[in-house]
Amino acid sequence: MEQVKFHFDPLCPWCYQTSRWARRLEELGEVELDWGVFSLEVVNLPDDQDPHELDARAAPALRTAILIRDREGSVALGPFYAALGRRIWEEPPPSGDMAKAVRESLVEIGLDESLCDEALDDPSTWQAVLDEHHALVERTGAFGVPTLVLDDGAGPAIFGPVVSQLPSDEDTVALWQHLSWLSATSRRPPGGKRVIHTRTARTGGPAGTANCACVPRLALATRGRPHALKVPGAGLVAV
């Protein structure tokens, strides 16, 4: 069974949608998931801006995720992200208050809501977010979410897949099999490094994505001659 580390930022609706697909894969016995963080706000900062001084919208979630990981283990981030994602993307947002959504999500998964305030009071939690983010970028070239890292976080990284709607169980597995084939190609010299996006779409995702032009085609560069196949179930083409 493939061990996959799923890096997320709660600000991206498509990342949440893909996490639902990934969790279904795990339920079907195809993968074993671990979880990590990534900051879209940091990766989009101007080069001359210090990320330590960033007042990030996602900070309450990402910093609390670090504390959950340290106290409960990184696998515990999965239920936390699922609860938080539902609040942000499937239910009316709680007055745009990320910290409130985080506290409610902590209670839902049986943890103390004070973890959020504890994380925000501890400067080391933001440093830990930055350390994990920069390590992923430096090792894999990651540039967005969802980023899936194979081999339990030590292997090649995949950007996506970004699914416009959740496929059937059969197509959920088929999509994973296609991705596995692409990633296996990337492991063999002269293979590519990661799946990247080249195509946009505007419909079919979770709430809040109607104007989000980020549904990709999947592309794995191999000596300038990318592979081509039809990916079922999610309206995506791998090229």
Side-chain angles (χ1 to χ4, degrees):
M1 183 185 300
E2 182 77 67
Q3 294 180 311
V4 178
K5 188 163 188 176
F6 189 113
H7 287 264
F8 67 89
D9 183 314
L11 296 183
C12 178
W14 297 113
C15 183
Y16 171 66
Q17 186 83 333
T18 298
S19 76
R20 296 174 64 204
W21 167 80
R23 281 193 291 271
R24 184 58 185 154
L25 266 181
E26 186 172 46
E27 291 169 355
L28 294 170
E30 295 292 324
V31 300
E32 183 177 339
L33 293 176
D34 194 7
W35 301 86
V37 298
F38 184 91
S39 175
L40 293 170
E41 292 166 282
V42 170
V43 82
N44 287 303
L45 276 180
D47 291 340
D48 60 353
Q49 187 168 343
D50 185 354
H52 294 87
E53 299 176 358
L54 177 65
D55 183 18
R57 287 173 52 213
L62 296 177
R63 294 174 69 173
T64 300
I66 293 296
L67 205 56
I68 294 172
R69 181 197 67 189
D70 292 348
R71 302 276 178 86
E72 307 292 333
S74 56
V75 174
L77 296 182
F80 169 68
Y81 179 40
L84 181 64
R86 281 194 301 273
R87 278 171 172 74
I88 297 174
W89 301 116
E90 296 192 71
E91 301 173 4
S95 303
D97 187 338
M98 179 67 78
K100 180 180 178 183
V102 168
R103 294 185 188 101
E104 291 175 348
S105 300
L106 288 167
V107 171
E108 179 180 328
I109 65 172
L111 297 178
D112 196 311
E113 66 176 14
S114 66
L115 281 175
C116 179
D117 296 312
E118 187 177 346
L120 293 175
D121 288 341
D122 182 355
S124 71
T125 58
W126 183 241
Q127 184 61 55
V129 170
L130 295 179
D131 290 345
E132 183 167 341
H133 171 92
H134 290 310
L136 182 67
V137 171
E138 290 170 8
R139 190 184 75 79
T140 70
F143 54 86
V145 290
T147 292
L148 281 62
V149 187
L150 307 184
D151 301 336
D152 200 22
I158 298 169
F159 173 79
V162 177
V163 294
S164 56
Q165 56 186 324
L166 291 180
S168 67
D169 285 353
E170 180 181 359
D171 287 343
T172 288
V173 173
L175 176 55
W176 170 246
Q177 291 172 342
H178 286 310
L179 283 172
S180 297
W181 179 82
L182 287 169
S183 66
T185 302
S186 78
R187 289 180 171 107
R188 295 194 304 267
K193 290 186 177 179
R194 62 181 182 269
V195 176
I196 61 173
H197 74 85
T198 59
R199 170 178 166 268
T200 63
R202 295 181 182 271
T203 60
T209 61
N211 297 315
C212 182
C214 62
V215 175
R217 192 164 53 165
L218 304 179
L220 180 67
T222 55
R223 285 183 177 244
R225 296 177 60 83
H227 296 284
L229 62 133
K230 192 75 174 179
V231 177
L236 303 176
V237 180
V239 299

